[in-house]
């Protein structure tokens, strides 16, 4: 992986001054979703191979990706923590930093369930913030907890 690099442009036989590049893709960049999909394809495969998530018939579903977002889900906090640990290990081995300020947890429970205090999952060393509403370009949700 390249960390420090510079570019120079040649245009009509003129060589322009070098400028430095940086890692990452500009937010809103048209290639961002494609790079995200390629870069996180192996994470998607790892998540598909763990036994945590929601079964729909015989199909295990524990994550969805859209543009540059990942949505992970599981019917138990313990299972969700397992999924987040796989994500964190992948991030550390691939030098990815998840934006913990945008990472949230939304819990759903049956109306008949007794109210209990549930320990929030962590991503790395940080507790994931619990929310009852969440909105982005792909998802808009509002529930009562």
């Amino acid at each position: 992986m390249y960390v420090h690099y510079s570019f120079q442009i040649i245009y009509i036989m003129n060589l322009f001054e070098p400028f430095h590049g940086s890692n990452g893709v500009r937010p809103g960049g048209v290639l961002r979703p494609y790079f995200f999909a390629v870069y996180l394809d192996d994470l998607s495969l790892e998540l598909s191979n763990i036994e945590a998530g929601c079964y729909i018939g015989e199909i295990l579903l524990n994550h969805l990706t859209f543009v540059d977002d990942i949505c992970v889900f599981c019917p138990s906090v313990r299972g969700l923590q397992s999924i987040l640990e796989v994500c964190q290990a992948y991030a550390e081995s691939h030098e990815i930093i998840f934006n913990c300020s945008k990472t949230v947890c939304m819990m759903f429970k049956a109306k008949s369930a007794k109210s209990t205090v549930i320990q929030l999952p962590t991503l790395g060393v940080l507790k994931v913030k619990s929310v009852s509403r969440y909105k982005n370009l792909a998802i808009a949700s509002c529930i009562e907890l």
Side-chain angles (χ1 to χ4, degrees), residues 38-68:
V38 168
Y39 203 69
L40 292 183
D41 191 46
D42 288 337
L43 172 60
S44 185
L45 291 172
E46 284 185 37
L47 290 174
S48 296
N49 289 323
I50 63 173
E51 293 293 320
C54 301
Y55 279 93
I56 301 172
E58 294 182 17
I59 299 172
L60 176 65
L61 186 63
N62 60 16
H63 71 286
L64 295 172
T65 59
F66 182 77
V67 184
D68 61 354

Side-chain angles (χ1 to χ4, degrees), residues 63-79:
H63 71 286
L64 295 172
T65 59
F66 182 77
V67 184
D68 61 354
D69 291 325
I70 301 173
C71 179
V72 297
F73 39 92
C74 191
S76 71
V77 175
R78 181 178 291 148

